[in-house]
Amino acid sequence: MIDRPSPPPSSADTYSPHLRTALVLTGTGTAGIYHAGVLRALDEAGVKIDIVAGRGIGVIGALFSAIDGAERLWDDTGFWRDPAIGSFYGWRLAMRVACWALGVSAAIVVVPIGTMAIGLVVFPIDFVLKMVGSLGATDLVAWYVRVVQAAFASGALPTWLPRLVFLALLSAAVVAAASAASRMKGRGRGPWWWRAVPPPLSADAATALCWRLVWDLVRGAADRSRPQPAELGRRYVERLAENLGQPGFRELLVVAHDVDAHRDLVFALVAESRRRDLMRRETIAAAEVRRAEVFDLAGPARGHLADAVAAALAVPVATDLEPISFAPDSYWRGETHRLCDRPAALGRIIDELADLGVDQLIIVSAAPASEGPHALAAPRVDGRARLGEYVHSAEAAVLRDATAIAVRSVPRVFTIRPAHNPIGPFDFGGGYDDRSDRPGRIIELLDLGCQDAYHQFIEPVVGASGERLSGAQEGQPRWRDR
């Protein structure tokens, strides 16, 4: 048989550095570490990216990648190696105190019952010792009776037990009251006790670490103290706007969901030549919709970048929604709305990128595809893991639907995702891999993302294109086999 060379890949399956290319980072929680691994591989290979977009934790990678700071995601002192990530999406203080108070109260109440239950062990042992005639046996029954009498004396259990229970419950009530007082501000309907119950998780640690490291990228030599996130966001936008078009700087697009307006909001900073494509529409009605949903960060909306980042990191129901106050002269007339993430906003990102003239789309997700039958694992039972299972499933379904629709508006669509990922979105302490019967560390997602980027995109797609990548130094190829 004569060996025939395989046919060259079709244009829809090949990559060209001459086409306008967008990178989309989508996911929640630990997916950001996978994004960092993919970004590392694309950076090593010199893959040209013109615009980077993100939703969920993907905004972290988008922020750093857009301002030539992607290396700060994976280096030894980078974002995803910082010890602070262990506190990401942790239980709120009020929730922890309430659970501990209830647990301590229950344990204290169990003390008298436990004291009485000891008799179920003492009486049989005493009986057996007497039957065998053990000379050294102690009269356990007599000893047990003395213990019970001392425990239930007027100055013992009946006195200090209720006091301990009261103190434990009082501490929980004080924390709950403080939380309720802080949450009573602003709008709200319903019984007051529901307003006293906060969402169980907090995204504050992720937001704080993000801006702490962004500060290292945008601060000047004369700066001493780190400003608030709103001011940091403005400085970030100014730095990016001044350097767009320079090597390592890319256009930026972030999407969050407006719960009050029932629509997705787009926050974008694009090249001057693309700003009209971002805002302009043919009809007056369409233009009004754009004013309500799209915010040009190069204009007066630059102060909203910090709000957009915090909103993208907010998980619906699990964390607080992020409030955003619009300017009085904006479409929303000074209103304050509540924003959060929405996995299905991936479709909106793709639509916006198509309108911005993107020819190639690289979508990165840490949610593995369905493996078919005989691949079930034991369901998780703890609270954050249950939520993580749902998030993984929802994001996998959204990715499947979005990519099927994306090929209608973008000529070339590529995806990078793991075949298997045992670490859930909120498993910042690591996970357990049922397949290999071993615990998995979250930092392994960094290597997994890097390997998947090479095996799924750089080697089969970029390598098959046969073109030298833009930005490579003379005589130094920007991609290699791993």
Side-chain angles (χ1 to χ4, degrees):
M1 179 180 293
I2 299 176
D3 292 334
R4 300 181 182 276
S6 58
S10 65
S11 60
D13 297 327
T14 57
Y15 165 86
S16 173
H18 307 295
L19 297 178
R20 182 166 166 80
T21 306
L23 175 68
V24 179
L25 305 175
T26 177
T28 303
T30 58
I33 309 177
Y34 185 82
H35 296 161
V38 173
L39 285 168
R40 180 176 182 175
L42 297 180
D43 181 72
E44 291 176 354
V47 175
K48 182 182 72 70
I49 303 295
D50 299 288
I51 179 170
V52 58
R55 61 141 289 269
I57 201 71
V59 301
I60 302 292
L63 276 182
F64 284 84
S65 179
I67 201 171
D68 195 25
E71 187 176 351
R72 293 291 291 140
L73 294 170
W74 64 75
D75 63 20
D76 291 340
T77 59
F79 187 95
W80 291 112
R81 294 186 185 275
D82 195 289
I85 67 172
S87 61
F88 282 10
Y89 296 99
W91 297 105
R92 286 186 173 276
L93 175 61
M95 185 67 65
R96 294 199 302 268
V97 171
C99 291
W100 273 106
L102 292 176
V104 170
S105 300
I108 294 173
V109 172
V110 167
V111 170
I113 301 175
T115 303
M116 300 298 295
I118 294 176
L120 299 176
V121 178
V122 170
F123 283 101
I125 294 177
D126 180 77
F127 175 77
V128 171
L129 291 176
K130 288 181 177 179
M131 288 294 293
V132 298
S134 175
L135 298 178
T138 306
D139 191 353
L140 292 180
V141 173
W143 169 83
Y144 172 68
V145 171
R146 289 194 299 269
V147 170
V148 171
Q149 289 175 346
F152 287 91
S154 59
L157 284 180
T159 301
W160 56 261
L161 190 68
R163 295 175 181 176
L164 290 179
V165 173
F166 175 76
L167 290 175
L169 296 179
L170 179 62
S171 63
V174 170
V175 173
S179 174
S182 64
R183 299 173 63 81
M184 287 295 180
K185 302 175 183 178
R187 298 178 295 120
R189 295 195 304 268
W192 65 267
W193 54 83
W194 279 115
R195 302 192 66 181
V197 178
L201 307 182
S202 173
D204 293 344
T207 306
L209 180 60
C210 170
W211 291 116
R212 176 160 65 84
L213 295 187
V214 166
W215 172 237
D216 294 337
L217 297 175
V218 303
R219 68 177 175 180
D223 292 321
R224 291 292 182 267
S225 59
R226 184 171 73 249
Q228 294 298 313
E231 177 59 27
L232 262 175
R234 294 187 186 94
R235 292 197 187 189
Y236 176 96
V237 170
E238 292 170 359
R239 175 71 61 85
L240 181 55
E242 291 171 358
N243 291 277
L244 271 182
Q246 299 298 319
F249 290 85
R250 294 144 177 163
E251 299 169 41
L252 175 69
L253 188 145
V254 174
V255 172
H257 183 67
D258 188 334
V259 175
D260 292 306
H262 309 159
R263 61 182 76 199
D264 293 324
L265 302 187
V266 179
F267 303 84
L269 178 61
V270 298
E272 186 66 31
S273 60
R274 298 285 177 178
R275 291 183 66 187
R276 297 183 66 185
D277 297 332
L278 180 68
M279 301 302 300
R280 188 182 63 178
R281 287 298 180 269
E282 297 178 356
T283 65
I284 296 178
E288 282 296 293
V289 171
R290 299 299 288 178
R291 287 187 60 214
E293 298 180 349
V294 181
F295 297 85
D296 183 4
L297 295 176
R302 68 181 56 193
H304 288 318
L305 179 60
D307 298 322
V309 171
L313 296 177
V315 179
V317 181
T319 70
D320 271 325
L321 304 181
E322 179 65 22
I324 178 173
S325 298
F326 299 101
D329 58 348
S330 69
Y331 177 89
W332 295 109
R333 302 293 188 236
E335 294 180 354
T336 297
H337 291 191
R338 299 166 300 157
L339 273 60
C340 67
D341 179 39
R342 186 175 78 99
L346 175 62
R348 178 61 184 270
I349 291 177
I350 294 173
D351 290 341
E352 294 293 333
L353 293 175
D355 290 341
L356 291 171
V358 167
D359 301 302
Q360 297 179 141
L361 188 62
I362 307 170
I363 304 176
V364 182
S365 172
S370 173
E371 304 173 16
H374 311 300
L376 294 178
R380 306 285 295 275
V381 295
D382 54 297
R384 290 198 300 175
R386 288 182 182 179
L387 177 61
E389 283 185 326
Y390 170 76
V391 169
H392 250 176
S393 177
E395 290 182 347
V398 167
L399 180 61
R400 182 179 62 250
D401 297 341
T403 51
I405 297 174
V407 295
R408 305 174 189 173
S409 54
V410 181
R412 305 178 184 186
V413 179
F414 311 99
T415 59
I416 301 174
R417 65 190 305 189
H420 174 60
N421 180 12
I423 298 178
F426 304 109
D427 293 338
F428 286 97
Y432 190 83
D433 190 353
D434 292 323
R435 283 188 174 184
S436 57
D437 192 24
R438 69 174 182 87
R441 299 180 301 134
I442 59 171
I443 201 61
E444 294 176 8
L445 288 177
L446 186 67
D447 293 332
L448 180 62
C450 192
Q451 294 169 7
D452 285 346
Y454 271 98
H455 298 159
Q456 298 177 22
F457 178 69
I458 295 172
E459 293 170 355
V461 178
V462 177
S465 69
E467 298 189 56
R468 186 171 177 271
L469 300 188
S470 173
Q473 298 179 0
E474 195 65 34
Q476 295 183 0
R478 291 297 302 276
W479 79 278
R480 54 186 173 82
D481 292 334
R482 288 179 68 87

